[in-house]
Amino acid sequence: MVEQPQYNLLHRKRVEQEYARLYEDIGLGLTTWSPLASGLLSGKYRKGIPPGSRGALETYAFLREGLTDPTKNAVVGKLESVAKELDCTLAQLALAWCVRNPRVSTVITGATRVEQINENMKALDVVAKLTPEVMTRIDSLVGAHAS
Protein backbone atom coordinates (compact mmCIF):
# COMPACT_ATOMS: atom_id res chain seq x y z
CA MET A 1 0.00 0.00 0.00
CA VAL A 2 1.32 3.47 -0.88
CA GLU A 3 0.23 7.05 -0.29
CA GLN A 4 1.29 10.15 -2.24
CA PRO A 5 1.34 13.08 0.21
CA GLN A 6 3.03 16.43 0.00
CA TYR A 7 6.17 16.35 2.15
CA ASN A 8 8.95 18.86 2.68
CA LEU A 9 10.74 20.69 5.46
CA LEU A 10 7.82 23.09 5.86
CA HIS A 11 4.94 20.62 5.30
CA ARG A 12 5.43 17.61 7.58
CA LYS A 13 2.47 16.95 9.86
CA ARG A 14 0.63 14.43 7.68
CA VAL A 15 3.69 12.26 7.03
CA GLU A 16 5.27 12.51 10.48
CA GLN A 17 2.18 12.53 12.71
CA GLU A 18 -1.11 11.70 11.00
CA TYR A 19 0.19 8.61 9.18
CA ALA A 20 2.58 7.44 11.93
CA ARG A 21 0.49 4.42 12.94
CA LEU A 22 -0.02 3.26 9.38
CA TYR A 23 3.65 2.51 8.67
CA GLU A 24 3.74 -0.39 11.11
CA ASP A 25 0.03 -1.29 11.08
CA ILE A 26 -0.35 -1.79 7.33
CA GLY A 27 3.15 -1.24 5.91
CA LEU A 28 2.33 2.09 4.29
CA GLY A 29 5.03 3.43 1.99
CA LEU A 30 5.25 6.96 0.61
CA THR A 31 5.76 8.52 -2.79
CA THR A 32 6.05 12.18 -1.83
CA TRP A 33 5.69 15.34 -3.88
CA SER A 34 6.70 19.00 -3.55
CA PRO A 35 9.99 18.37 -1.72
CA LEU A 36 11.05 21.92 -2.57
CA ALA A 37 7.71 23.49 -1.56
CA SER A 38 7.06 24.63 -5.16
CA GLY A 39 10.61 26.00 -5.34
CA LEU A 40 10.56 27.96 -2.08
CA LEU A 41 13.17 25.65 -0.51
CA SER A 42 15.52 26.21 -3.45
CA GLY A 43 15.99 29.79 -2.24
CA LYS A 44 15.09 31.35 -5.57
CA TYR A 45 12.10 33.26 -4.16
CA ARG A 46 13.96 34.98 -1.32
CA LYS A 47 14.11 38.25 -3.27
CA GLY A 48 10.72 38.01 -4.97
CA ILE A 49 9.38 36.20 -8.01
CA PRO A 50 12.07 35.76 -10.68
CA PRO A 51 10.97 36.05 -14.31
CA GLY A 52 10.53 32.68 -15.97
CA SER A 53 9.99 30.85 -12.66
CA ARG A 54 6.93 28.78 -11.81
CA GLY A 55 5.78 31.56 -9.50
CA ALA A 56 5.78 34.02 -12.41
CA LEU A 57 3.28 31.95 -14.40
CA GLU A 58 -0.35 33.05 -14.20
CA THR A 59 -1.48 29.45 -13.82
CA TYR A 60 0.51 29.33 -10.56
CA ALA A 61 -0.54 32.73 -9.23
CA PHE A 62 -2.15 30.97 -6.26
CA LEU A 63 1.37 30.01 -5.06
CA ARG A 64 2.83 33.54 -4.99
CA GLU A 65 1.82 34.49 -1.48
CA GLY A 66 3.43 31.37 -0.02
CA LEU A 67 6.53 31.64 -2.20
CA THR A 68 7.20 35.21 -1.08
CA ASP A 69 6.19 34.74 2.57
CA PRO A 70 8.86 36.62 4.56
CA THR A 71 8.78 34.18 7.50
CA LYS A 72 9.23 31.10 5.32
CA ASN A 73 11.97 32.81 3.32
CA ALA A 74 13.75 33.71 6.57
CA VAL A 75 13.75 29.99 7.44
CA VAL A 76 15.19 29.25 4.00
CA GLY A 77 17.89 31.82 4.68
CA LYS A 78 18.81 30.05 7.91
CA LEU A 79 18.96 26.69 6.15
CA GLU A 80 21.45 28.15 3.67
CA SER A 81 24.21 27.99 6.30
CA VAL A 82 23.59 24.26 6.76
CA ALA A 83 23.70 23.71 2.99
CA LYS A 84 27.01 25.58 2.74
CA GLU A 85 28.52 23.51 5.55
CA LEU A 86 27.45 20.33 3.76
CA ASP A 87 28.77 21.68 0.43
CA CYS A 88 25.42 21.43 -1.33
CA THR A 89 22.63 23.65 -2.60
CA LEU A 90 19.50 24.45 -0.64
CA ALA A 91 17.52 22.30 -3.08
CA GLN A 92 19.87 19.35 -2.58
CA LEU A 93 19.59 19.75 1.20
CA ALA A 94 15.78 19.80 1.06
CA LEU A 95 15.66 16.77 -1.22
CA ALA A 96 18.17 14.81 0.85
CA TRP A 97 16.15 15.60 3.99
CA CYS A 98 13.06 14.02 2.38
CA VAL A 99 14.96 10.99 1.10
CA ARG A 100 16.49 10.39 4.53
CA ASN A 101 13.07 9.63 6.03
CA PRO A 102 12.88 5.81 6.12
CA ARG A 103 9.13 5.97 5.39
CA VAL A 104 9.71 7.73 2.06
CA SER A 105 10.10 5.29 -0.83
CA THR A 106 10.17 7.84 -3.66
CA VAL A 107 10.43 11.61 -4.00
CA ILE A 108 8.80 13.27 -7.00
CA THR A 109 11.10 16.22 -7.65
CA GLY A 110 8.98 18.11 -10.19
CA ALA A 111 12.03 19.31 -12.13
CA THR A 112 11.24 21.23 -15.29
CA ARG A 113 14.70 21.31 -16.89
CA VAL A 114 17.42 18.69 -17.47
CA GLU A 115 19.87 20.84 -15.47
CA GLN A 116 17.53 20.66 -12.48
CA ILE A 117 17.35 16.88 -12.73
CA ASN A 118 21.15 16.64 -12.76
CA GLU A 119 21.47 18.96 -9.76
CA ASN A 120 18.64 17.25 -7.87
CA MET A 121 20.23 13.81 -8.23
CA LYS A 122 23.31 15.12 -6.39
CA ALA A 123 21.08 15.21 -3.30
CA LEU A 124 21.71 11.48 -3.00
CA ASP A 125 25.32 12.30 -2.04
CA VAL A 126 24.05 14.62 0.71
CA VAL A 127 21.89 12.03 2.50
CA ALA A 128 24.88 10.44 4.27
CA LYS A 129 25.90 13.89 5.56
CA LEU A 130 22.59 14.28 7.39
CA THR A 131 23.79 12.98 10.73
CA PRO A 132 21.49 13.03 13.76
CA GLU A 133 23.24 16.25 14.85
CA VAL A 134 22.61 17.94 11.49
CA MET A 135 18.98 16.76 11.52
CA THR A 136 18.51 18.23 15.00
CA ARG A 137 19.99 21.51 13.81
CA ILE A 138 17.69 21.56 10.79
CA ASP A 139 14.68 20.87 13.01
CA SER A 140 15.67 23.71 15.34
CA LEU A 141 15.95 26.12 12.39
CA VAL A 142 12.62 25.09 10.86
CA GLY A 143 10.95 24.78 14.26
CA ALA A 144 7.40 26.02 14.52
CA HIS A 145 7.31 27.07 10.87
CA ALA A 146 6.54 23.53 9.73
CA SER A 147 2.92 22.47 9.36
Side-chain angles (χ1 to χ4, degrees), residues 55-70:
L57 300 172
E58 281 308 310
T59 53
Y60 290 102
F62 66 95
L63 293 175
R64 288 186 193 136
E65 186 177 333
L67 293 174
T68 58
D69 180 278

Side-chain angles (χ1 to χ4, degrees), residues 7-99:
Y7 184 57
N8 58 60
L9 280 160
L10 298 171
H11 192 91
R12 304 162 64 165
K13 185 178 179 183
R14 177 168 291 149
V15 167
E16 294 177 3
Q17 295 173 19
E18 293 176 17
Y19 291 172
R21 250 191 57 219
L22 301 176
Y23 304 122
E24 297 302 322
D25 288 357
I26 62 171
L28 182 70
L30 302 174
T31 294
T32 62
W33 58 275
S34 198
L36 301 180
S38 298
L40 175 72
L41 291 168
S42 72
K44 70 180 169 186
Y45 294 106
R46 288 179 59 206
K47 296 179 183 173
I49 306 288
S53 69
R54 182 178 300 174
L57 300 172
E58 281 308 310
T59 53
Y60 290 102
F62 66 95
L63 293 175
R64 288 186 193 136
E65 186 177 333
L67 293 174
T68 58
D69 180 278
T71 303
K72 290 178 182 176
N73 276 291
V75 170
V76 172
K78 292 175 185 177
L79 289 169
E80 191 167 38
S81 64
V82 177
K84 284 181 182 178
E85 289 172 20
L86 298 179
D87 194 31
C88 66
T89 66
L90 279 165
Q92 290 164 352
L93 174 65
L95 289 164
W97 180 89
C98 289
V99 168

